[in-house]
Amino acid sequence: MRARHLLFAVLLGTAAAANAQSTYPAPGALIVLDQAGGATGRGALYAIDAASGYRRPLSDFGNIAQGVLGATPSGLARVSTGLWGGDDRWVATDAKAGTGGRGVVFEIDLGNGKRTVMSDFGDASRGPLGSQPEGVIYVPPVLLGPLSGLFVLDRRAGTDGRAAIFKLDAGGRRSVFSDLGDGRGARAAQAVAMTWRPGALGLGGKMLVTDMTTGTNGQGALLAIDPINKGRSVLSDFGDVLQGWVDPSRDSAPNSVIAGSDGSIHVLVAHAGTDGRGALVKVDPSSGYRHLVSDLGAEAQGPLGSQPVAIRWSRDQQVIYVVDAGSGVDGKGSVLQIDPASGVRRTVSDFGLSGYGALGKSPRAIDVN
């Protein structure tokens, strides 16, 4: 029976490949960054058909013919048309590349996989130096919106190395948007991810940051940053039972965070749920109250997780995609899909099945074309 399933996977993958060659990366395609992918393990970028799960390599960070080499690429974001004009642009962070190994932000051409350095965080002429830039998001301009542009979370920058968020201009010049270790409210300890939650017409929006070790019992917290005065507050303390769901494991920690167009907030919690396989929770944007959406260790809700590291909304915001670095065949990673209403999961692409394209090693980040 297993042989039959594998043969079916190969045939389906082959058919998907034939159909995909002229359409990738199509609108709605998933763009996934594998931190250890590529021929030499320096990272790779893939396009994945959300229906068939077929993977096509876009850029090998170890291929010098495609541009500056990578080291440990980790963050990924799409820069939509409107900031600089022209086609959508794609950027990726690499925490150890660049001058002095202080990190870079690459711009990547999805058509030919070529990479150029947008900002070298070790180059003092481009602004304050970085140390470990990883998270990256793009905030599009909106009516009355207090901010827009490209923002990078550096996990070791800022006061006492507690993290900082840099803003990049069109030329890659950096300025500090928020120093998460200064005295403007709640201080970060181990900030790992961020997102922008806009308000009505752009008013009342907040930058949200997950921190893995602040909060009650060191179980992490979701911080909110005011874009005007840069003040920080704890929106949700993941160890506080008065704010809803709390995982019983002291090892659990909030990781990736996303905000929907309806204002909803979802957080991926690492080492949580059954057998510590991860969990997806929804957070009330006003009270910070949490409820469990999907336990990635519960078989009744679908394929199990192992090492979930990132989440992203689908293009139509009907489902949430999860990148898991350790699930799938031979632990090569997978992309799962979660119904935010029921918590039910399905596998979109198993990076250990060769019938669906290039094998993975350690998928780390995702966005949607």
Side-chain angles (χ1 to χ4, degrees):
M1 183 64 69
R2 178 175 172 80
R4 182 181 299 175
H5 287 169
L6 289 175
L7 176 60
F8 177 73
V10 171
L11 293 175
L12 180 59
T14 301
N19 181 60
Q21 296 303 317
S22 62
T23 59
Y24 265 94
L30 311 182
I31 310 299
V32 175
L33 178 66
D34 189 315
Q35 188 171 57
T40 59
R42 287 178 172 268
L45 196 65
Y46 301 100
I48 302 178
D49 183 273
S52 70
Y54 181 79
R55 300 176 297 276
R56 174 186 168 189
L58 294 174
S59 186
D60 183 339
F61 284 71
N63 182 358
I64 191 67
Q66 289 186 306
V68 178
L69 298 179
T72 58
S74 57
L76 179 68
R78 177 173 63 91
V79 181
S80 59
T81 302
L83 179 61
W84 297 313
D87 296 330
D88 287 356
R89 305 170 76 175
W90 286 82
V91 296
T93 58
D94 191 311
K96 294 183 180 180
T99 303
R102 289 179 171 270
V104 302
V105 173
F106 290 111
E107 182 175 330
I108 305 169
D109 186 326
L110 298 192
N112 55 27
K114 298 221 169 158
R115 299 173 303 277
T116 54
V117 174
M118 179 184 177
S119 187
D120 181 339
F121 277 63
D123 181 356
S125 70
R126 311 304 288 169
L129 296 178
S131 181
Q132 192 178 331
E134 293 192 0
V136 58
I137 61 171
Y138 169 66
V139 180
V142 295
L143 180 65
L144 303 180
L147 81 169
S148 63
L150 200 61
F151 296 83
V152 176
L153 174 64
D154 189 307
R155 295 179 61 177
R156 296 291 178 266
T159 302
D160 298 330
R162 288 177 175 264
I165 298 175
F166 293 98
K167 182 177 182 181
L168 272 61
D169 68 13
R173 289 177 291 273
R174 299 176 301 276
S175 59
V176 176
F177 168 74
S178 179
D179 179 341
L180 278 72
D182 66 18
R184 298 186 182 184
R187 301 175 77 198
Q190 193 175 350
V192 290
M194 64 178 173
T195 194
W196 170 250
R197 180 186 179 272
L201 299 178
L203 295 174
K206 301 284 186 181
M207 187 74 80
L208 304 178
V209 178
T210 53
D211 191 291
M212 299 183 79
T213 57
T214 58
T216 303
N217 296 324
Q219 286 187 263
L222 181 63
L223 308 180
I225 304 175
D226 186 298
I228 305 301
N229 62 28
K230 310 300 173 61
R232 296 180 303 275
S233 60
V234 175
L235 174 59
S236 190
D237 179 337
F238 277 67
D240 184 355
V241 295
L242 297 181
Q243 285 192 297
W245 175 88
V246 172
D247 190 78
S249 172
R250 295 289 181 90
D251 293 329
S252 65
N255 193 349
S256 185
V257 56
I258 54 174
S261 58
D262 61 354
S264 63
I265 302 170
H266 287 79
V267 177
L268 179 66
V269 187
H271 310 299
T274 304
D275 297 327
R277 291 179 175 272
L280 179 70
V281 301
K282 187 174 183 179
V283 180
D284 184 278
S286 298
S287 66
Y289 194 85
R290 301 172 300 276
H291 78 262
L292 181 64
V293 173
S294 190
D295 179 343
L296 276 70
E299 293 185 3
Q301 289 187 297
L304 300 181
S306 175
Q307 190 182 341
V309 292
I311 52 177
R312 189 72 69 191
W313 277 108
S314 60
R315 190 180 179 94
D316 59 8
Q317 299 206 355
Q318 296 300 301
V319 299
I320 294 173
Y321 295 115
V322 180
V323 173
D324 193 299
S327 61
V329 174
D330 297 329
K332 290 183 178 293
S334 67
V335 175
L336 304 176
Q337 174 183 303
I338 298 180
D339 181 331
S342 66
V344 171
R345 301 179 298 275
R346 79 170 183 90
T347 299
V348 176
S349 189
D350 185 329
F351 277 67
L353 286 178
S354 59
Y356 287 86
L359 296 179
K361 293 181 181 177
S362 183
R364 177 69 183 269
I366 185 172
D367 210 326
V368 181
N369 191 32

